[in-house]
Amino acid sequence: IFSIIKTLILSFVIIMLLLWIAPKYKESISEILAKKSLKSFGIGLLVFFGTIIGAFILLLLLYGFAANVAVLAVAILIIACVISPTVFSMAIGQLLTNKFKLNGNTAYVLLSLLVMLIVKLIGYIPYIGLPVSAIIFILGLGIMCINSYKRTA
């Protein structure tokens, strides 16, 4: 129970910070999830395993500054691991808000927290929870990467 409450509070803080800092973020991530979900999954896999392999190579072959870069890359990946399920729930929350034709940030935040609660509860189901949580994590990571490096033409 404490883990679920902690996750919901962390997700609420992340959602509110992103709504305050970047109000258009919710539309862009829901668009990425709706139109480029397979691409975001592939990029999420690539970023996750590429970061781990790259950091491992830097730690093994080089020392000094390269080791610091490797540790920094892994630290950023860990932060992304914490944030990515919330980003996924924000994207689903925006899609649900659009589907039900609800307007306002209150409905969006509540639906995003509801999705986050469902994601957390699915994680506790034996044999199903781990693969579903991994897919959600990879999708969230891919959505963040695509949104960060989006080209404007």
Side-chain angles (χ1 to χ4, degrees):
I1 298 277
F2 179 72
S3 173
I4 294 172
I5 293 171
K6 183 179 72 169
T7 301
L8 288 177
I9 290 172
L10 178 68
S11 296
F12 179 74
V13 168
I14 292 170
I15 291 168
M16 295 308 285
L17 277 174
L18 285 174
L19 280 176
W20 180 51
I21 294 170
K24 301 282 184 194
Y25 187 72
K26 61 182 183 175
E27 284 89 8
S28 65
I29 62 173
S30 67
E31 180 183 331
I32 291 169
L33 184 64
K35 296 181 181 175
K36 303 175 185 176
S37 57
L38 194 59
K39 181 180 178 181
S40 67
F41 184 77
I43 288 177
L45 273 175
L46 184 68
V47 167
F48 181 70
F49 288 114
T51 303
I52 291 174
I53 292 170
F56 189 69
I57 289 171
L58 282 175
L59 284 174
L60 281 181
L61 300 179
L62 302 170
Y63 56 92
F65 181 71
N68 292 339
V69 170
V71 170
L72 180 66
V74 170
I76 291 172
L77 183 65
I78 290 171
I79 292 170
C81 288
V82 172
I83 295 174
S84 66
T86 303
V87 170
F88 176 80
S89 70
M90 288 173 66
I92 296 290
Q94 181 63 32
L95 290 174
L96 290 174
T97 304
N98 292 342
K99 180 81 172 170
F100 296 137
K101 295 179 177 56
L102 301 171
N103 50 2
N105 287 336
T106 307
Y108 165 70
V109 171
L110 290 176
L111 283 173
S112 297
L113 289 175
L114 179 66
V115 170
M116 191 65 212
L117 177 66
I118 292 169
V119 164
K120 187 69 175 175
L121 291 176
I122 287 174
Y124 288 121
I125 300 173
Y127 304 111
I128 297 172
L130 184 64
V132 171
S133 296
I135 290 170
I136 288 171
F137 157 69
I138 295 296
L139 272 170
L141 185 62
I143 289 169
M144 286 190 294
C145 292
I146 289 174
N147 192 51
S148 296
Y149 299 107
K150 199 168 32 174
R151 293 183 184 180
T152 55

